[in-house]
Amino acid sequence: MKRLVHCAGILALLYGIQAAQSAELVLVNQDPAGAGLNDLTAAAPVGGNPGATLGEQRRLVYQFALNMYGALLNSAVPIRVQASFKSLGKNSAGNDILGQAYAIYTFRDFANAPLPNTWYSKALANSLRGVDNDPQSDDIHSEFTTDIDVGGAAKGWYYGLDGRTPKGQTNFLDVVTHEIGHGLGFAGNSATDRTAADPSNIYNRFVRSAGGADWNAMSNAERAAARIGDHLVWTGPQVTAEVPIKLKPEPAFQITAPAAAAGYSAFVIADFGSPATAAAFTGAVVQAVYTDAGNVVHTDGCQPFTNAAALTQRIALIDRGSCNFSQKVLYAQQAGAVAAIIADNGGSTVGLMGTGNGSDQVTIPSILVPQAFGKQLRANLQGLAAGGIGPYADRRLAGVLADGADPAGAAIRRAKINAPPGFLPGSTFSHFDQNLLPTPLMAPSASSTVIAQADLDLTPALFMDIGWGVNRGNLSLLDCNTSVPVSSPGGLIPGANAVTNLKLCAKTSATVGDYRDCTGRYIQSRLEAKLFKPAQAQSLKMCLVGSKADAQYAAWH
């Protein structure tokens, strides 16, 4: 049985019989001539992308992402991915929707289905069955915004393939890789109303309220509360096993005095200003205020502060609300503050601190702390002092919650699923939590710390949990074993990165000599970046010499 899927994933263990071959992902270009992926606007090569037009650069990035997933996943059935560019507008928070994607159909109760009465994305269902469940249809639909390319490249997409995204731009490869992930099955059904007899999405079978019930076992009312309760976790065994491999201790902001306010808090660092260091956030903390024409005192930082003398060489405490973060921090900087703390004004989690008006003028660091911690600080302003920030040993892993106990009685640490207060269609449920550290590829908002061409973090582990065969053996070029693993626990993908770049070299090289030069430069650059160990780089070189290079070039060119 098949089902047409209407929802989209927005950015904003092996089961059954697995195919033994790498997947092939095929780009289905849906843009008209001269637009989107076919845009003929001249473009200079950038970040290892040799495309001569805007459309060609977009296609090369998209094919790069497809080839990475092809090396990573196993499937005997080609995966057809529709792609296009268009204006996608903004989400409910006023931010640009960068892209959206979904599996066009889902299937259940097909031959070799691991679990009965369970929906699988078309690409995954085809891989598990070994043949196409519906040869007449494509597998994934994806689309990306043209909105952020308006106004010049400085505020647009970055089409480089090197991960070195300039400040103010958004890495297209990261977003494409994220959206294809949704189409491959990183998406669940967040609807709250269902009965025990209803077919389940395979993704839903691994979602639980931390310390509570599995998603499918909850009542409708419990699901409605859980999806905005900020306590949903992923229970799949592969992700759980890789959580301590990949995630780092949660950094914490410390208050040392007075005793009534002392403690630690989670925080988020702003995307503007200087880096937040322990030294910058050590010292006296002062509430920043301004007085309006009616002599009303305000703490939201939306006008120049009137207590500059008290703020000089101090850390400013500011409330969120009414104006953008960078404007608040700029006023604190102009008043002489050395750093700024912004207290959130709602919810139990900490969001993002993006750029806005005046962000290019901000030079001091700033952080955002939860509402409850902000209230604690405001209630104890006399002698308020900060003790720095850092990965304190007694803190939990960022974005991880305890869930039950293992047979030995210890709490099991689970990666959080995005479930913030206030339901967000396309974001809630079908993403990892934004506060995992490092920020994961499949978080709801793009992050400058994601470098998809080298590290897919917990995404391959989640694919394994829902049934995908993930290649963790060594990369072979024709019959030559490179000794470079395609992927590793924790998400590093050195082999997938290698074969993707080598294919790009073959496609864009006019002669086999050019191909050899391109592959040599690539191996040297990745060796310097420590993606390969010296022995692995040497082994990869030996698979690309003489007739071996000729044969590989002929196969890919």
Side-chain angles (χ1 to χ4, degrees):
M1 179 179 292
K2 75 176 181 179
R3 176 180 62 175
L4 178 65
V5 178
H6 298 287
C7 60
I10 299 174
L11 197 79
L13 292 143
L14 299 175
Y15 294 104
I17 299 174
Q18 292 291 344
Q21 67 188 70
S22 296
E24 177 189 8
L25 281 76
V26 180
L27 174 62
V28 181
N29 185 342
Q30 295 193 310
D31 280 327
L37 292 163
N38 305 312
D39 193 314
L40 297 177
T41 303
V46 57
N49 186 332
T53 68
L54 191 57
E56 184 182 15
Q57 289 190 351
R58 289 168 171 171
R59 294 194 304 273
L60 286 172
V61 174
Y62 209 103
Q63 191 61 56
F64 194 99
L66 298 181
N67 288 343
M68 284 197 304
Y69 275 126
L72 179 72
L73 302 176
N74 294 327
S75 180
V77 183
I79 301 167
R80 293 177 57 82
V81 184
Q82 299 174 355
S84 64
F85 270 78
K86 62 185 66 175
S87 175
L88 298 179
K90 299 181 182 295
N91 61 19
S92 58
N95 299 316
D96 289 299
I97 296 175
L98 300 176
Q100 52 194 27
Y102 53 86
I104 296 172
Y105 288 104
T106 59
F107 290 80
R108 64 180 176 92
D109 300 321
F110 49 87
N112 298 331
L115 296 172
N117 210 33
T118 301
W119 295 108
Y120 295 81
S121 69
K122 183 172 184 284
L124 176 53
N126 291 347
S127 174
L128 291 166
R129 184 178 179 183
V131 297
D132 200 324
N133 286 279
D134 183 2
Q136 304 306 312
S137 69
D138 294 332
D139 304 288
I140 297 170
H141 177 81
S142 67
E143 50 195 22
F144 301 89
T145 187
T146 54
D147 299 335
I148 66 171
D149 272 335
V150 176
K155 296 184 181 299
W157 289 113
Y158 177 64
Y159 296 113
L161 298 168
D162 57 359
R164 298 177 179 178
T165 309
K167 189 173 183 179
Q169 291 187 268
T170 302
N171 190 292
F172 185 53
L173 177 62
D174 292 347
V175 177
V176 171
T177 307
H178 173 110
E179 295 303 339
I180 295 172
H182 285 307
L184 291 168
F186 200 119
N189 180 0
S190 60
T192 59
D193 295 340
R194 70 181 302 272
T195 67
D198 289 340
S200 170
N201 183 300
I202 182 60
Y203 180 100
N204 289 43
R205 289 187 180 274
F206 294 103
V207 177
R208 176 186 299 164
S209 181
D214 291 334
W215 180 263
N216 290 345
M218 296 179 191
S219 67
N220 292 344
E222 288 172 333
R223 276 188 288 271
R227 73 179 186 178
I228 58 171
D230 199 36
H231 273 69
L232 290 182
V233 295
W234 183 263
T235 64
Q238 194 64 40
V239 168
T240 302
E242 295 187 27
V243 159
I245 298 173
K246 188 60 185 178
L247 301 186
K248 299 177 182 179
E250 179 183 22
F253 169 59
Q254 184 183 25
I255 290 293
T256 55
Y264 299 97
S265 172
F267 68 92
V268 167
I269 300 172
D271 287 340
F272 52 85
S274 57
T277 64
F281 285 90
T282 299
V285 179
V286 176
Q287 177 80 69
V289 299
Y290 66 88
T291 304
D292 64 19
N295 290 320
V296 177
V297 176
H298 297 268
T299 59
D300 61 12
C302 293
Q303 292 184 28
F305 296 117
T306 54
N307 63 332
L311 291 174
T312 301
Q313 295 300 305
R314 304 288 195 275
I315 302 167
L317 175 62
I318 311 168
D319 288 338
R320 182 177 183 176
S322 303
C323 57
N324 64 53
F325 293 117
S326 54
Q327 185 64 68
K328 299 170 188 288
V329 179
L330 181 58
Y331 284 143
Q333 175 181 304
Q334 292 171 344
V338 296
I341 304 163
I342 297 180
D344 210 343
N345 58 357
S348 59
T349 59
V350 176
L352 299 172
M353 289 181 71
T355 57
N357 294 335
S359 59
D360 56 343
Q361 302 175 52
V362 176
T363 59
I364 65 173
S366 56
I367 61 174
L368 174 69
V369 299
Q371 181 185 35
F373 194 72
K375 289 181 177 179
Q376 182 177 314
L377 301 187
R378 288 194 300 273
N380 296 277
L381 292 172
Q382 187 66 37
L384 189 62
I389 59 176
Y392 295 95
D394 61 342
R395 300 298 296 168
R396 61 177 172 81
L397 293 177
V400 175
L401 294 176
D403 175 40
D406 64 20
I412 301 173
R413 295 301 197 183
R414 308 281 195 191
K416 285 178 66 179
I417 294 297
N418 190 47
F423 178 70
L424 300 172
S427 176
T428 292
F429 200 77
S430 292
H431 292 90
F432 281 129
D433 186 79
Q434 189 77 33
N435 293 323
L436 268 65
L437 185 70
T439 304
L441 169 69
M442 299 305 293
S445 297
S447 169
S448 60
T449 62
V450 171
I451 305 179
Q453 74 268 32
D455 189 352
L456 299 180
D457 50 79
L458 295 176
T459 304
L462 187 140
F463 284 155
M464 294 173 76
D465 281 336
I466 65 175
W468 276 107
V470 170
N471 189 350
R472 286 196 164 158
N474 289 341
L475 170 67
S476 290
L477 299 176
L478 300 178
D479 60 348
C480 186
N481 187 333
T482 68
S483 82
V484 179
V486 175
S487 67
S488 305
L492 292 177
I493 53 168
N497 177 276
V499 71
T500 302
N501 276 280
L502 298 178
K503 285 183 176 181
L504 178 65
C505 282
K507 290 292 184 184
T508 57
S509 295
T511 68
V512 69
D514 293 339
Y515 173 67
R516 289 173 178 166
D517 290 343
C518 182
T519 58
R521 291 192 300 271
Y522 163 72
I523 293 172
Q524 183 60 35
S525 69
R526 295 301 84 193
L527 180 61
E528 293 172 357
K530 298 183 179 180
L531 182 66
F532 302 146
K533 297 177 181 177
Q536 292 173 332
Q538 183 61 31
S539 179
L540 185 55
K541 287 180 181 178
M542 294 305 296
C543 289
L544 291 165
V545 297
S547 61
K548 294 178 182 179
D550 296 352
Q552 198 65 77
Y553 175 74
W556 286 336
H557 183 70

